[in-house]
Each structure stands twice: as structure tokens, then as C-alpha cells.
Amino acid sequence: MATERFQFEGASGEQLAAALDLPNGSPRAYALFAHCFSCGKDTHAARRIAMALTAHGIAVLRFDFTGLGSSEGDFANTTFSSNVADLVRAANHLRETRQAPAILIGHSLGGAAVLAAAGAIPDAKAVVTIAAPSDPGHVTNMFKDSLEAIRRDGSAEVSLAGRPFRISSSFLDDIAEQRLLDKVKHLHKALLVMHSPVDETVGIDNATHIFVAAKHPKSFISLDHADHLISSKLDAAYIAEVIASWAGRYAAPAPVELAATDGPRDVVVRETRASKLQQSIALGPHHLTADEPLSVGGQDSGPGPYDLLLAALGACTSMTMRLYADRKLLPLDLITVTLRHNKIHAEDCAACETKVGLIDQLEREIHMDGALDEEQRRKLMEIADKCPVHRTLTSEIRIVTRATD
């Protein structure tokens, strides 16, 4: 994942600090991420979700709201409405410099903000909320003991997550005027509501209110034992996996460049850092995830290296047989190739040159459906051994490796 850091002008004229996380290759969609109240763009949840989404080819813009993180401005002068305006400015910046966001994602109060901003971002086709309140006023529970002082003095310093913040009475006035569920009723975009039933900061009933108010298409995903801040890497990776799969239905992929199909193209593999071993694989417009099973230290979030090797052989086998069958007009209805990888003792392989130690054995079973006679089946099995990947694996291979800057 490559990250571009820059600034853009917020709704009040201050410069807002932003990070655009980019996948390998051309993004198939752009997403705009809104962080939780008093948090920032670099929280564990924001970074981990963005990192996992880039593994699926989705670019993510995350930024610090006015007065937070590295952004200019005074937090005490901000309101929920100003945060919504900042979101719209962020979407405009993406539209002007890259591509308008097709997906809006918000965590906690950021989820309420993307619901409120969605109507002003016409290009967005899908909205995702994570642990979002159905009423932005819910956030005042975090400093309820200071409400009287804020009203009396016009503002007061409160402690949020162990850090001091100044909250103004204008913030309270603004948030009291919000009618978020009315906007949810008229969202006119696909909605995915994600919430943990054990969230002690924003209760699960908030998700119910949002989901009931929304019109279809809408979906709900329970986050099981996740905490409100999504502090677990596994929870963040799971959320990103679900968002990437769900949003793909509503966000058109990036156009494929014809030149990419003219010859061999690079396969780029890069760590996602969403888990210990997870890798993102990019080849042209296509994006895959590789991992290892739990038994060897992975999270089983994708096929392992040997799984991909077997898949390459199986796909090449089936394609080669199909091309031959169609050319010869054979009644071959369906090909199924089942493969497995094993280590065997060399001494048990009479046809192998190696006679000591263990050797790799790839087992391939081919099932052919169709009214084929014995001769046709025999010929197709011969053709299977002529697939290019089979020939590569059984011929001398030279791998050239070099380090790059």
C-alpha cells in the first residue's frame, strides 16, 4: 500500500491533513473514511481498515477533521455540521484530483456524519456505518457531567479518551438540531450497517434505529465481540473484507487498460500488515489476497502460496482442455480439476531422478462431464499434460532475483 499525504482546504478555510491510501495498480473504486469523535485519520481502526481495503483494490481517503490531528483550526469552534461540511469538501477534492468517492465509510460519530453528508455527495453509491449512533446527540453522553458548565459558561474543557478538549455551547445547539433519521429515510443509496452487540459506548439499538429507518437496499452485519474502537486487527480486517465484497456490487471497477492484455504483466505482491502473513496481490485490474492457515501462523483470509500454485495448474489444465474440445467439437460439457500438494519420499517415486529425501508431488484429478467415448477421454487426458503451466512446472526453471531501492 502506498500512501500520499497532503492538505486540502476545509469548509472554514483551514488546511486539513489528509492521507490517500492507494492499492497496487489502478484503483477499482475510491472510498472516503470519516473517523470517530475526537479521534483522527491515523487511529488503528482507520489505518487497518484502509490498509485492508487497498488489498482489494479500493483507494481510501482519510483526513483529520478541523482542529484534530494535523489539521488546522480550533476544535472548540467546530460542530457536527462543520464536520459534515468538511466531508463534502473532502469528496470534492477527490472528485477534482482523482475520482469521486463511490463509497462513504464512517466510524462512530463519523458514521453519523457520512449519513448526513451522503445527500451532498451525489457520486457516492454506497454508505457504510461502523458503530454509529442514530442520533449525533448521543456523543454528549461522553461528557454529560460537563453539560451544565458548557451551557453556563459558553464552553468548558472536557476529557475524552484521556485528552482535554474544549466543547462549546454552539456544538450542543448544533447537535440538538440534527434529524439524522430523516436523512436516513431519504438516503437513496445502498447502506451497510455494522455494529457490535456488546458495544458499551454506542449501544446496538442505534444500529436498529438506522436500519429500520433506511430503505432497501440495506444490509446489517453483526461484529460479534468487537469493541467500539475496533482495536483488534482481526476485527478491522474482517470489516474491510465485508465492505470490499459488499461495495463491489455498487461501485463500478476502474476501466481496464487494453494495453495491459497485450503481453505478460507484472504481478505485484505486497504485505497488507492487516495480519502477520496476509499479502495483497495485484495484476492489472485484478486483486487477490493471499494468507496462510491458522495452523502455521496465518489468519486464513485467503489462499496460501501452494494453493495459488495448484489453482494456476488447475485453471491452465481446464482452459487447455476446453480449447481443444471446442476446436474438435467434442461433447465435453464440464471440466472439474481437483488438486492437492504432498511431500513424498523420493525412494517411492520410480520415475523420479532424485532418489534421496523428500520431493514435491502434485496430484491432479480430472472429471469430464459429457457423452465422450474412451478415445476422446484418452486424448483429452493427453492434452491436459500439454497445458503451459504443466510444461513450466515439469521443465527447467530459472528464477532471477534482485533487490530494488
Side-chain angles (χ1 to χ4, degrees):
M1 178 183 76
T3 300
E4 294 183 3
R5 295 187 179 273
F6 55 90
Q7 293 182 325
F8 67 93
E9 188 175 291
S12 301
E14 291 90 352
Q15 291 296 305
L16 305 186
L20 179 62
D21 300 310
L22 295 165
N24 300 327
S26 300
R28 65 187 184 96
Y30 282 79
L32 176 59
F33 187 96
H35 60 71
C36 54
F37 182 62
S38 78
C39 299
K41 69 180 183 304
D42 295 316
T43 61
H44 289 309
R47 287 190 294 105
R48 288 169 181 167
I49 291 172
M51 189 178 296
L53 283 172
T54 59
H56 290 272
I58 297 175
V60 182
L61 175 64
R62 46 194 171 91
F63 70 98
D64 294 325
F65 284 113
T66 300
L68 293 173
S70 300
S71 288
E72 296 178 350
D74 187 349
F75 179 78
N77 296 329
T78 65
T79 63
F80 180 77
S81 294
S82 71
N83 285 347
V84 172
D86 282 347
L87 269 172
V88 175
R89 291 300 291 266
N92 291 342
H93 181 82
L94 259 185
R95 185 184 300 106
E96 293 165 2
T97 59
R98 294 278 186 160
Q99 180 178 311
I103 309 162
L104 307 179
I105 307 169
H107 177 210
S108 192
L109 191 65
V114 296
L115 288 171
I121 307 175
D123 316 84
K125 300 178 178 66
V127 179
V128 181
T129 65
I130 306 165
S134 58
D135 178 2
H138 185 281
V139 75
T140 60
N141 291 334
M142 300 174 66
F143 46 87
K144 57 185 177 182
D145 294 338
S146 302
L147 292 177
E148 183 178 342
I150 295 171
R151 288 296 187 192
R152 182 186 65 242
D153 302 329
S155 68
E157 190 172 276
V158 304
S159 178
L160 301 173
R163 294 181 297 157
F165 291 91
R166 182 159 291 277
I167 303 294
S168 67
S169 58
S170 60
F171 178 90
L172 300 183
D173 293 338
D174 177 80
I175 214 162
E177 295 175 357
Q178 303 299 321
R179 297 293 180 267
L180 185 62
L181 292 182
D182 289 342
K183 293 187 177 181
V184 174
K185 292 176 183 177
H186 301 93
L187 190 61
H188 300 304
K189 302 180 191 295
L191 175 65
L192 173 61
V193 179
M194 310 183 83
H195 214 113
S196 169
V198 295
D199 190 330
E200 296 181 353
T201 303
V202 179
I204 189 68
D205 56 311
N206 287 269
T208 301
H209 296 324
I210 294 172
F211 188 82
V212 170
K215 294 181 173 61
H216 286 289
K218 57 183 177 179
S219 304
F220 172 78
I221 293 292
S222 175
L223 298 179
D224 296 342
H225 303 294
D227 60 24
H228 181 71
L229 293 178
I230 316 297
S231 56
S232 165
K233 286 184 180 180
L234 294 182
D235 290 332
Y238 171 71
I239 289 170
E241 291 278 344
V242 172
I243 292 174
S245 298
W246 176 84
R249 184 178 183 89
Y250 306 103
V256 178
E257 297 180 8
L258 294 178
T261 63
D262 292 342
R265 53 192 175 191
D266 290 345
V267 176
V268 181
V269 180
R270 180 175 288 138
E271 289 184 303
T272 69
R273 302 306 293 160
S275 64
K276 182 178 180 180
L277 298 175
Q278 189 184 74
Q279 311 289 317
S280 71
I281 304 172
L283 47 157
H286 308 296
H287 299 268
L288 306 172
T289 299
D291 205 341
E292 287 281 18
L294 296 171
S295 60
V296 293
Q299 297 300 329
D300 206 19
S301 60
Y306 277 102
D307 298 329
L308 294 168
L309 178 66
L310 293 176
L313 176 59
C316 185
T317 299
S318 181
M319 291 175 183
T320 303
M321 294 173 67
R322 171 54 59 196
L323 290 172
Y324 178 84
D326 288 354
R327 187 170 68 251
K328 296 296 185 178
L329 302 178
L330 301 182
L332 177 60
D333 296 332
L334 185 68
I335 306 164
T336 303
V337 185
T338 304
L339 305 101
R340 63 187 63 87
H341 169 249
N342 289 309
K343 293 279 190 179
I344 66 169
H345 291 283
E347 60 194 42
D348 295 332
C349 179
C352 297
E353 294 182 6
T354 303
K355 297 302 179 184
V356 179
L358 295 175
I359 62 173
D360 291 279
Q361 178 169 288
L362 305 185
E363 300 176 11
R364 178 175 55 177
E365 297 175 356
I366 303 173
H367 183 81
M368 294 170 277
D369 288 320
L372 298 163
D373 59 34
E374 288 302 316
E375 177 59 24
Q376 290 170 330
R377 289 179 180 274
R378 184 193 64 77
K379 186 60 179 178
L380 282 167
M381 290 299 289
E382 286 183 8
I383 293 298
D385 286 345
K386 295 181 180 180
C387 93
V389 171
H390 181 107
R391 289 180 170 179
T392 297
L393 292 173
T394 54
S395 63
E396 183 176 358
I397 300 175
R398 179 171 177 253
I399 299 176
V400 180
T401 304
R402 63 179 180 274
T404 60
D405 295 331

